[in-house]
Each structure stands twice: as C-alpha cells, then as structure tokens.
Amino acid sequence: QVQLVESGGGSVQAGGSLRLSCAASGYTDSTNCMGWFRQAPGKERERVAAIYSGGGWTDYADSVKGRFTISQDNAKNTLYLQMNNLKPEDTAMYYCAAGRTIGRSSCLSSTQKTYAYWGQGTQVIVSS
C-alpha cells in the first residue's frame, strides 16, 4: 500500500504561482510512475503531468506546457507540481497519483487507470 497526501493548494490571482506537494509513504518502491490530475466542477478528471521513475522523463497536457513543472525528490518521497502563470481555467481540485507501469512510454501516456493509489486532493482557485 502507498499513501499519498497533497498540500500547497490555495487561492491566487491570475498570473500567480503555486507549488503543490504530494508526500508518499508506505511501499513506495512498488511504484515507478507518478502523476498529477485535476478535476474542475462538472468536468472529467484530466491528467496534468506524469513523471517516470527518477524524474528523468516527464509529460504534460498541452494546456499546461511551459507553465507547469512536475518533479520529485526521491530522498523525501515527495512529488511536486510547480504551477506558474496560473489562469482561471486552472481552477480545480488537484490530485496526485502513483502506479507501476511496464516501461517509460506507458507512464508518459498514462490515464487514470494506470494509477493504483490516489491522494485526497488539494483545491486550487485562480481568480481573474
């Protein structure tokens, strides 16, 4: 089992920045793929970014490319999402997720079904 706890959400004006954190505990060696998802009211959950084993490989949704950066600190078992130049359409509940894939490409093309473990979410609100 892996437990995930997100933090760092909040309210910010458009153009501002936030850094989300996701602390992982438990049998973290069982996972090699981690991701950030978000879900806005009335919309489906979408994957924002994914990172494969060790942080060398990442993938982003087109809507956040150039603004968001996913990273991880393996020594601290913590996943991050640095969000810059935030827009009102980034308003959502943000979730981190962890799973295990066979190879890098499976992680970087991951969907919700890829991930076995989920956090409870942290709210991000961006005002115009």
Side-chain angles (χ1 to χ4, degrees):
Q1 289 288 340
V2 176
Q3 294 78 43
L4 303 172
V5 179
E6 302 96 334
S7 61
S11 296
V12 65
Q13 289 190 328
S17 298
L18 285 172
R19 189 177 79 157
L20 306 183
S21 299
C22 173
S25 60
Y27 190 35
T28 57
D29 287 347
S30 66
T31 61
N32 63 0
C33 179
M34 297 194 75
W36 285 100
F37 287 74
R38 67 185 181 187
Q39 188 167 19
K43 294 188 177 181
E44 292 186 357
R45 188 172 297 189
E46 63 170 344
R47 199 201 71 185
V48 173
I51 187 166
Y52 178 70
S53 187
W57 304 98
T58 60
D59 187 75
Y60 297 92
D62 288 343
S63 58
V64 306
K65 280 181 181 177
R67 301 189 297 122
F68 290 12
T69 303
I70 188 171
S71 63
Q72 62 187 152
D73 184 331
N74 290 327
K76 296 181 179 179
N77 283 333
T78 302
L79 179 73
Y80 301 101
L81 185 68
Q82 178 67 43
M83 306 186 295
N84 298 327
N85 190 23
L86 282 160
K87 303 176 180 181
E89 52 263 43
D90 295 319
T91 295
M93 185 71 78
Y94 283 72
Y95 301 89
C96 73
R100 187 163 191 86
T101 63
I102 301 175
R104 179 182 74 230
S105 61
S106 296
C107 176
L108 301 184
S109 61
S110 56
T111 66
Q112 290 188 61
K113 294 181 179 179
T114 303
Y115 300 92
Y117 307 104
W118 292 83
Q120 293 300 307
T122 186
Q123 181 72 49
V124 171
I125 299 172
V126 184
S127 58
S128 58

Coordinates of all heavy atoms in Angstrom, one line a residue, residues 43-124:
K43 N -16.7 18.7 -14.8 CA -15.8 18.3 -15.8 C -15.2 16.9 -15.4 O -15.1 16.6 -14.2 CB -14.7 19.3 -16.1 CG -15.2 20.6 -16.7 CD -14.1 21.5 -17.2 CE -14.6 22.7 -17.9 NZ -13.5 23.6 -18.3
E44 N -14.7 16.2 -16.4 CA -14.0 15.0 -16.1 C -12.6 15.2 -15.6 O -12.0 16.3 -15.8 CB -13.9 14.1 -17.4 CG -15.2 13.6 -17.9 CD -15.1 12.7 -19.1 OE1 -13.9 12.5 -19.6 OE2 -16.1 12.2 -19.6
R45 N -12.1 14.3 -14.8 CA -10.7 14.4 -14.3 C -9.8 14.2 -15.5 O -9.9 13.3 -16.3 CB -10.5 13.3 -13.3 CG -9.2 13.4 -12.5 CD -9.1 12.4 -11.4 NE -10.1 12.6 -10.4 CZ -10.1 12.0 -9.2 NH1 -9.1 11.2 -8.9 NH2 -11.1 12.3 -8.3
E46 N -8.8 15.1 -15.5 CA -7.8 15.1 -16.6 C -6.4 15.0 -16.0 O -6.1 15.5 -15.0 CB -7.9 16.3 -17.5 CG -7.6 17.6 -16.8 CD -7.5 18.8 -17.8 OE1 -7.4 18.6 -19.0 OE2 -7.6 19.9 -17.3
R47 N -5.5 14.3 -16.8 CA -4.1 14.2 -16.3 C -3.4 15.5 -16.7 O -3.4 16.0 -17.9 CB -3.4 13.0 -16.9 CG -2.2 12.6 -16.2 CD -1.3 11.8 -17.0 NE -0.7 12.6 -18.1 CZ 0.1 12.1 -19.0 NH1 0.4 10.9 -19.1 NH2 0.6 13.0 -19.9
V48 N -2.7 16.1 -15.8 CA -2.0 17.3 -16.0 C -0.5 17.0 -16.4 O 0.1 17.6 -17.3 CB -2.0 18.2 -14.7 CG1 -1.1 19.4 -14.8 CG2 -3.4 18.6 -14.4
A49 N 0.1 16.1 -15.6 CA 1.5 15.8 -15.8 C 1.8 14.4 -15.3 O 1.1 13.9 -14.4 CB 2.4 16.8 -15.2
A50 N 2.9 13.8 -15.8 CA 3.3 12.5 -15.3 C 4.8 12.5 -15.3 O 5.5 13.2 -16.1 CB 2.8 11.4 -16.2
I51 N 5.4 11.7 -14.4 CA 6.8 11.6 -14.3 C 7.2 10.1 -14.1 O 6.5 9.4 -13.3 CB 7.4 12.5 -13.2 CG1 8.9 12.5 -13.2 CG2 6.8 12.1 -11.8 CD1 9.5 13.6 -12.3
Y52 N 8.2 9.7 -14.8 CA 8.6 8.2 -14.7 C 9.9 8.1 -13.9 O 10.9 8.7 -14.2 CB 8.8 7.7 -16.1 CG 9.2 6.3 -16.2 CD1 8.4 5.2 -15.8 CD2 10.5 5.9 -16.6 CE1 8.8 3.9 -15.9 CE2 10.9 4.6 -16.7 CZ 10.1 3.6 -16.3 OH 10.5 2.3 -16.3
S53 N 9.9 7.2 -13.0 CA 11.0 6.7 -12.2 C 12.2 7.5 -12.2 O 13.1 7.4 -13.1 CB 11.3 5.3 -12.7 OG 12.3 4.7 -12.0
G54 N 12.4 8.3 -11.2 CA 13.6 9.0 -11.0 C 13.6 10.4 -11.6 O 14.5 11.2 -11.4
G55 N 12.5 10.8 -12.3 CA 12.4 12.1 -12.7 C 13.0 12.5 -14.0 O 13.0 13.6 -14.5
G56 N 13.6 11.5 -14.7 CA 14.2 11.9 -16.0 C 13.3 12.1 -17.1 O 13.6 12.7 -18.1
W57 N 12.1 11.6 -17.0 CA 11.1 11.6 -18.1 C 9.8 12.2 -17.6 O 9.3 11.7 -16.6 CB 10.9 10.2 -18.6 CG 12.2 9.5 -19.0 CD1 12.9 8.7 -18.3 CD2 12.9 9.7 -20.3 NE1 14.1 8.3 -19.0 CE2 14.1 8.9 -20.2 CE3 12.7 10.5 -21.4 CZ2 15.0 8.9 -21.2 CZ3 13.6 10.4 -22.4 CH2 14.8 9.6 -22.3
T58 N 9.3 13.1 -18.4 CA 8.0 13.8 -18.0 C 7.1 14.0 -19.2 O 7.6 14.0 -20.3 CB 8.3 15.2 -17.3 OG1 9.0 16.0 -18.3 CG2 9.1 15.0 -16.1
D59 N 5.9 14.2 -18.9 CA 4.9 14.5 -20.0 C 3.9 15.4 -19.4 O 3.5 15.4 -18.2 CB 4.2 13.2 -20.4 CG 3.3 13.5 -21.6 OD1 3.9 13.6 -22.8 OD2 2.1 13.5 -21.5
Y60 N 3.4 16.3 -20.2 CA 2.4 17.3 -19.8 C 1.2 17.4 -20.7 O 1.3 17.2 -21.9 CB 3.1 18.7 -19.8 CG 4.2 18.8 -18.8 CD1 5.5 18.5 -19.2 CD2 4.0 19.2 -17.5 CE1 6.6 18.6 -18.3 CE2 5.0 19.3 -16.6 CZ 6.3 19.0 -17.0 OH 7.4 19.0 -16.1
A61 N 0.1 17.8 -20.2 CA -1.0 18.2 -21.0 C -0.7 19.4 -21.8 O 0.0 20.3 -21.3 CB -2.3 18.4 -20.1
D62 N -1.2 19.6 -23.0 CA -1.0 20.7 -23.8 C -1.4 22.0 -23.1 O -0.7 23.1 -23.3 CB -1.7 20.6 -25.1 CG -1.1 19.6 -26.1 OD1 0.0 19.2 -25.8 OD2 -1.8 19.2 -27.0
S63 N -2.4 22.0 -22.3 CA -2.9 23.2 -21.7 C -2.0 23.7 -20.6 O -2.1 24.9 -20.2 CB -4.3 22.9 -21.0 OG -4.2 21.8 -20.1
V64 N -1.0 23.0 -20.1 CA -0.1 23.4 -19.1 C 1.3 23.5 -19.5 O 2.2 23.9 -18.7 CB -0.3 22.6 -17.8 CG1 -1.7 22.5 -17.4 CG2 0.3 21.2 -18.0
K65 N 1.6 23.0 -20.7 CA 3.0 23.0 -21.2 C 3.6 24.4 -21.1 O 3.0 25.4 -21.5 CB 3.1 22.5 -22.6 CG 3.1 21.0 -22.7 CD 3.2 20.5 -24.1 CE 3.1 19.0 -24.2 NZ 3.1 18.5 -25.6
G66 N 4.8 24.5 -20.6 CA 5.5 25.8 -20.5 C 5.2 26.6 -19.2 O 5.8 27.6 -18.9
R67 N 4.1 26.1 -18.5 CA 3.7 26.8 -17.3 C 3.9 25.9 -16.0 O 4.2 26.4 -15.0 CB 2.2 27.2 -17.4 CG 1.9 28.2 -18.5 CD 0.5 28.7 -18.5 NE -0.5 27.7 -18.6 CZ -1.4 27.5 -17.6 NH1 -1.5 28.2 -16.5 NH2 -2.3 26.5 -17.8
F68 N 3.7 24.6 -16.2 CA 3.7 23.7 -15.0 C 5.0 22.8 -15.2 O 5.4 22.5 -16.3 CB 2.5 22.8 -15.0 CG 1.2 23.5 -14.6 CD1 1.1 24.8 -14.6 CD2 0.1 22.7 -14.3 CE1 -0.1 25.5 -14.2 CE2 -1.1 23.3 -13.9 CZ -1.2 24.7 -13.9
T69 N 5.5 22.5 -14.0 CA 6.7 21.6 -14.0 C 6.5 20.5 -12.9 O 6.3 20.9 -11.7 CB 8.0 22.3 -13.7 OG1 8.2 23.4 -14.7 CG2 9.2 21.4 -13.7
I70 N 6.6 19.3 -13.3 CA 6.5 18.1 -12.4 C 7.9 17.7 -12.0 O 8.8 17.7 -12.9 CB 5.6 17.0 -12.9 CG1 5.4 15.9 -11.9 CG2 6.3 16.4 -14.2 CD1 4.4 14.8 -12.3
S71 N 8.1 17.4 -10.7 CA 9.4 16.9 -10.3 C 9.2 16.1 -9.0 O 8.1 16.1 -8.5 CB 10.3 18.1 -10.0 OG 9.8 18.9 -8.9
Q72 N 10.3 15.4 -8.7 CA 10.2 14.6 -7.5 C 11.5 14.5 -6.7 O 12.5 14.7 -7.4 CB 9.7 13.2 -7.8 CG 10.6 12.3 -8.7 CD 10.0 11.0 -9.1 OE1 10.2 10.5 -10.1 NE2 9.1 10.5 -8.2
D73 N 11.4 14.4 -5.4 CA 12.6 14.3 -4.6 C 12.5 12.9 -4.0 O 11.7 12.7 -3.0 CB 12.6 15.4 -3.5 CG 13.8 15.4 -2.6 OD1 14.4 14.3 -2.4 OD2 14.2 16.5 -2.1
N74 N 13.3 12.0 -4.5 CA 13.2 10.6 -4.0 C 13.6 10.4 -2.6 O 13.1 9.6 -1.9 CB 14.0 9.7 -5.0 CG 13.4 9.6 -6.3 OD1 12.2 9.6 -6.5 ND2 14.2 9.4 -7.3
A75 N 14.6 11.3 -2.2 CA 15.0 11.2 -0.8 C 13.9 11.5 0.2 O 13.9 11.0 1.3 CB 16.2 12.1 -0.6
K76 N 13.0 12.4 -0.2 CA 11.9 12.8 0.6 C 10.6 12.1 0.3 O 9.6 12.4 0.9 CB 11.7 14.4 0.5 CG 12.9 15.2 1.0 CD 12.6 16.7 0.9 CE 13.8 17.5 1.4 NZ 13.5 19.0 1.3
N77 N 10.7 11.3 -0.7 CA 9.4 10.6 -1.2 C 8.3 11.6 -1.5 O 7.2 11.5 -1.0 CB 8.9 9.6 -0.2 CG 9.8 8.3 -0.2 OD1 10.3 8.0 -1.3 ND2 9.8 7.6 0.9
T78 N 8.7 12.7 -2.1 CA 7.7 13.8 -2.4 C 7.7 14.2 -3.8 O 8.7 14.3 -4.5 CB 8.1 15.0 -1.5 OG1 8.1 14.7 -0.1 CG2 7.1 16.1 -1.7
L79 N 6.5 14.3 -4.3 CA 6.2 14.7 -5.7 C 5.8 16.2 -5.7 O 5.1 16.6 -4.7 CB 5.1 13.9 -6.3 CG 4.7 14.2 -7.7 CD1 5.7 13.7 -8.7 CD2 3.3 13.5 -8.0
Y80 N 6.2 17.0 -6.7 CA 5.9 18.4 -6.7 C 5.2 18.7 -8.1 O 5.4 18.1 -9.1 CB 7.1 19.3 -6.6 CG 7.9 19.0 -5.3 CD1 9.0 18.2 -5.2 CD2 7.4 19.6 -4.1 CE1 9.7 18.0 -4.1 CE2 8.1 19.4 -2.9 CZ 9.3 18.6 -2.9 OH 9.9 18.4 -1.7
L81 N 4.4 19.8 -8.0 CA 3.9 20.4 -9.2 C 4.1 21.9 -9.1 O 3.3 22.5 -8.3 CB 2.5 20.0 -9.5 CG 1.9 20.6 -10.8 CD1 2.6 19.8 -12.0 CD2 0.4 20.4 -10.9
Q82 N 5.0 22.5 -9.8 CA 5.2 23.9 -9.8 C 4.3 24.5 -10.9 O 4.4 24.1 -12.0 CB 6.7 24.3 -10.1 CG 6.9 25.8 -10.1 CD 6.8 26.5 -8.8 OE1 7.2 26.0 -7.8 NE2 6.1 27.7 -8.9
M83 N 3.5 25.4 -10.5 CA 2.5 26.0 -11.4 C 2.7 27.5 -11.5 O 2.6 28.2 -10.5 CB 1.1 25.7 -10.9 CG 0.8 24.2 -10.7 SD -0.9 23.9 -10.3 CE -1.1 24.7 -8.7
N84 N 3.1 27.9 -12.7 CA 3.4 29.4 -12.9 C 2.4 29.9 -13.9 O 1.7 29.2 -14.6 CB 4.8 29.6 -13.4 CG 5.8 29.1 -12.5 OD1 5.7 29.2 -11.2 ND2 7.0 28.6 -13.0
N85 N 2.3 31.2 -13.9 CA 1.3 31.9 -14.8 C 0.0 31.3 -14.8 O -0.6 30.9 -15.8 CB 1.9 31.9 -16.2 CG 1.2 32.8 -17.2 OD1 0.5 33.7 -16.8 ND2 1.3 32.5 -18.5
L86 N -0.6 31.1 -13.6 CA -1.9 30.5 -13.5 C -3.0 31.2 -14.1 O -3.0 32.5 -14.1 CB -2.1 30.2 -12.0 CG -1.4 29.0 -11.4 CD1 -1.3 29.2 -9.9 CD2 -2.0 27.7 -11.8
K87 N -3.9 30.5 -14.6 CA -5.1 31.1 -15.3 C -6.4 30.6 -14.6 O -6.4 29.6 -13.9 CB -5.1 30.6 -16.8 CG -3.9 30.9 -17.5 CD -3.9 30.3 -18.9 CE -2.7 30.6 -19.7 NZ -2.7 30.0 -21.1
P88 N -7.5 31.4 -14.7 CA -8.7 31.0 -14.1 C -9.1 29.5 -14.5 O -9.7 28.8 -13.7 CB -9.7 32.0 -14.6 CG -8.9 33.2 -14.8 CD -7.6 32.7 -15.3
E89 N -8.8 29.1 -15.7 CA -9.2 27.8 -16.1 C -8.4 26.7 -15.5 O -8.7 25.5 -15.7 CB -9.1 27.7 -17.7 CG -7.8 28.1 -18.3 CD -7.9 29.5 -18.8 OE1 -8.4 30.4 -18.1 OE2 -7.3 29.8 -19.9
D90 N -7.4 27.0 -14.7 CA -6.6 26.1 -13.9 C -7.3 25.7 -12.6 O -6.9 24.9 -11.9 CB -5.2 26.6 -13.6 CG -4.4 26.7 -14.9 OD1 -4.4 25.9 -15.7 OD2 -3.6 27.8 -14.9
T91 N -8.4 26.5 -12.3 CA -9.1 26.2 -11.1 C -9.7 24.8 -11.1 O -10.4 24.4 -12.0 CB -10.3 27.2 -10.9 OG1 -9.7 28.5 -10.8 CG2 -11.2 26.9 -9.7
A92 N -9.4 24.0 -10.0 CA -9.8 22.6 -9.9 C -9.3 22.0 -8.6 O -8.5 22.6 -7.9 CB -9.2 21.8 -11.1
M93 N -9.8 20.8 -8.4 CA -9.2 20.0 -7.3 C -8.0 19.2 -8.0 O -8.2 18.6 -9.0 CB -10.2 19.1 -6.7 CG -9.7 18.2 -5.6 SD -9.5 19.2 -4.1 CE -11.2 19.4 -3.5
Y94 N -6.9 19.3 -7.4 CA -5.7 18.6 -7.9 C -5.4 17.4 -7.1 O -5.3 17.4 -5.8 CB -4.5 19.6 -7.9 CG -4.6 20.6 -9.0 CD1 -5.5 21.6 -9.0 CD2 -3.7 20.5 -10.1 CE1 -5.6 22.5 -10.1 CE2 -3.8 21.4 -11.2 CZ -4.7 22.4 -11.1 OH -4.8 23.3 -12.2
Y95 N -5.1 16.3 -7.8 CA -4.8 15.0 -7.1 C -3.5 14.5 -7.6 O -3.1 14.6 -8.8 CB -5.9 14.0 -7.5 CG -7.3 14.3 -7.1 CD1 -8.1 15.1 -8.0 CD2 -7.8 14.0 -5.9 CE1 -9.4 15.4 -7.7 CE2 -9.1 14.3 -5.6 CZ -9.9 15.0 -6.5 OH -11.2 15.3 -6.1
C96 N -2.7 13.9 -6.7 CA -1.6 13.1 -7.1 C -1.9 11.7 -7.1 O -2.8 11.2 -6.4 CB -0.3 13.4 -6.2 SG -0.3 12.7 -4.6
A97 N -1.2 10.9 -7.9 CA -1.4 9.5 -8.1 C -0.1 8.8 -8.3 O 0.8 9.3 -8.8 CB -2.4 9.3 -9.3
A98 N -0.1 7.5 -7.9 CA 1.1 6.7 -8.1 C 0.7 5.3 -8.6 O -0.4 4.8 -8.3 CB 1.8 6.5 -6.8
G99 N 1.5 4.8 -9.5 CA 1.3 3.4 -10.0 C 2.6 2.8 -10.5 O 3.6 3.4 -10.4
R100 N 2.4 1.7 -11.1 CA 3.5 1.0 -11.7 C 3.2 0.6 -13.2 O 2.2 0.1 -13.4 CB 3.9 -0.3 -10.9 CG 5.2 -0.9 -11.4 CD 5.7 -1.9 -10.4 NE 7.1 -2.3 -10.8 CZ 8.2 -1.6 -10.5 NH1 8.1 -0.5 -9.8 NH2 9.4 -2.0 -10.9
T101 N 4.2 1.0 -14.0 CA 4.0 0.7 -15.5 C 5.1 -0.1 -16.0 O 6.2 -0.2 -15.4 CB 3.9 2.0 -16.3 OG1 5.2 2.7 -16.2 CG2 2.8 2.9 -15.8
I102 N 4.9 -0.8 -17.1 CA 5.9 -1.6 -17.8 C 6.6 -0.6 -18.8 O 6.1 -0.5 -19.9 CB 5.4 -2.8 -18.4 CG1 4.7 -3.7 -17.4 CG2 6.5 -3.6 -19.1 CD1 4.0 -4.9 -17.9
G103 N 7.6 0.1 -18.3 CA 8.3 0.9 -19.3 C 7.9 2.4 -19.2 O 6.8 2.7 -18.7
R104 N 8.7 3.2 -19.7 CA 8.6 4.7 -19.7 C 7.4 5.1 -20.5 O 6.6 6.0 -20.0 CB 9.8 5.3 -20.2 CG 9.8 6.8 -20.2 CD 11.1 7.3 -20.8 NE 11.2 7.2 -22.2 CZ 12.3 6.6 -22.9 NH1 13.3 6.1 -22.1 NH2 12.3 6.5 -24.2
S105 N 7.2 4.6 -21.7 CA 6.1 5.1 -22.5 C 4.8 4.9 -21.9 O 3.9 5.7 -22.1 CB 6.2 4.5 -23.9 OG 6.1 3.1 -23.8
S106 N 4.6 3.8 -21.2 CA 3.3 3.6 -20.6 C 3.0 4.6 -19.5 O 1.8 5.0 -19.3 CB 3.3 2.2 -20.0 OG 3.4 1.2 -21.0
C107 N 4.0 5.0 -18.8 CA 3.8 6.1 -17.8 C 3.5 7.4 -18.5 O 2.6 8.1 -18.1 CB 5.1 6.2 -17.0 SG 5.0 7.5 -15.7
L108 N 4.2 7.7 -19.5 CA 4.1 9.1 -20.1 C 2.8 9.2 -20.9 O 2.4 10.3 -21.2 CB 5.3 9.4 -21.0 CG 6.6 9.4 -20.2 CD1 7.8 9.8 -21.1 CD2 6.6 10.3 -19.0
S109 N 2.2 8.1 -21.2 CA 0.9 8.1 -21.9 C -0.2 7.6 -20.9 O -1.3 7.1 -21.4 CB 0.9 7.2 -23.1 OG 1.2 5.9 -22.8
S110 N 0.0 7.7 -19.6 CA -0.9 7.1 -18.6 C -2.2 7.8 -18.6 O -2.4 9.0 -19.0 CB -0.2 7.3 -17.3 OG 0.1 8.6 -17.0
T111 N -3.2 7.0 -18.1 CA -4.6 7.5 -17.9 C -4.9 7.2 -16.4 O -4.0 6.7 -15.7 CB -5.6 6.8 -18.8 OG1 -5.6 5.4 -18.4 CG2 -5.2 6.9 -20.2
Q112 N -6.1 7.5 -16.0 CA -6.5 7.3 -14.6 C -6.3 5.8 -14.3 O -5.9 5.5 -13.1 CB -7.9 7.7 -14.4 CG -8.2 9.2 -14.4 CD -9.6 9.5 -14.0 OE1 -10.0 9.2 -12.9 NE2 -10.3 10.1 -14.9
K113 N -6.6 4.9 -15.2 CA -6.5 3.5 -14.9 C -5.1 3.0 -14.6 O -4.9 1.9 -14.1 CB -7.1 2.7 -16.1 CG -8.6 2.9 -16.3 CD -9.1 2.1 -17.5 CE -10.6 2.3 -17.7 NZ -11.1 1.6 -18.9
T114 N -4.1 3.8 -15.0 CA -2.7 3.4 -14.8 C -2.4 3.4 -13.3 O -1.5 2.7 -12.8 CB -1.8 4.4 -15.5 OG1 -2.1 4.4 -16.9 CG2 -0.3 4.1 -15.3
Y115 N -3.1 4.3 -12.5 CA -2.7 4.5 -11.2 C -3.5 3.8 -10.1 O -4.7 3.8 -10.2 CB -2.8 6.0 -10.9 CG -1.9 6.8 -11.8 CD1 -2.3 7.3 -13.1 CD2 -0.5 7.1 -11.5 CE1 -1.5 8.0 -13.9 CE2 0.3 7.8 -12.4 CZ -0.2 8.3 -13.6 OH 0.6 9.0 -14.4
A116 N -2.8 3.1 -9.2 CA -3.5 2.3 -8.2 C -3.7 3.1 -6.9 O -4.6 2.8 -6.1 CB -2.6 1.1 -7.9
Y117 N -2.9 4.2 -6.7 CA -3.0 4.9 -5.5 C -3.3 6.4 -5.8 O -2.7 7.0 -6.7 CB -1.7 4.8 -4.7 CG -1.3 3.4 -4.5 CD1 -0.3 2.8 -5.3 CD2 -2.0 2.6 -3.6 CE1 0.1 1.5 -5.1 CE2 -1.6 1.2 -3.4 CZ -0.6 0.7 -4.1 OH -0.2 -0.6 -3.9
W118 N -4.2 7.0 -4.9 CA -4.6 8.4 -5.1 C -4.6 9.1 -3.8 O -4.9 8.5 -2.7 CB -6.0 8.4 -5.7 CG -6.1 7.9 -7.1 CD1 -6.2 6.6 -7.5 CD2 -6.0 8.7 -8.3 NE1 -6.2 6.5 -8.9 CE2 -6.1 7.8 -9.4 CE3 -6.0 10.1 -8.5 CZ2 -6.1 8.3 -10.7 CZ3 -6.0 10.5 -9.8 CH2 -6.1 9.6 -10.9
G119 N -4.3 10.4 -3.9 CA -4.4 11.2 -2.7 C -5.9 11.8 -2.6 O -6.7 11.5 -3.5
Q120 N -6.1 12.6 -1.6 CA -7.4 13.1 -1.3 C -7.7 14.4 -2.1 O -8.8 14.9 -2.2 CB -7.6 13.4 0.2 CG -7.7 12.1 0.9 CD -8.8 11.2 0.5 OE1 -10.0 11.6 0.4 NE2 -8.5 9.9 0.2
G121 N -6.6 15.0 -2.6 CA -6.8 16.3 -3.4 C -6.5 17.5 -2.6 O -6.6 17.6 -1.4
T122 N -6.1 18.6 -3.3 CA -5.9 19.9 -2.8 C -6.5 20.9 -3.8 O -6.3 20.8 -5.0 CB -4.4 20.2 -2.5 OG1 -4.3 21.4 -1.9 CG2 -3.6 20.2 -3.8
Q123 N -7.3 21.9 -3.2 CA -8.0 22.8 -4.1 C -7.1 23.9 -4.5 O -6.4 24.6 -3.8 CB -9.2 23.3 -3.3 CG -10.1 24.3 -4.1 CD -10.9 23.6 -5.2 OE1 -11.5 22.6 -4.9 NE2 -10.8 24.1 -6.4
V124 N -7.3 24.3 -5.8 CA -6.6 25.4 -6.4 C -7.7 26.3 -7.0 O -8.5 25.9 -7.8 CB -5.6 25.0 -7.5 CG1 -5.0 26.2 -8.2 CG2 -4.4 24.2 -6.9

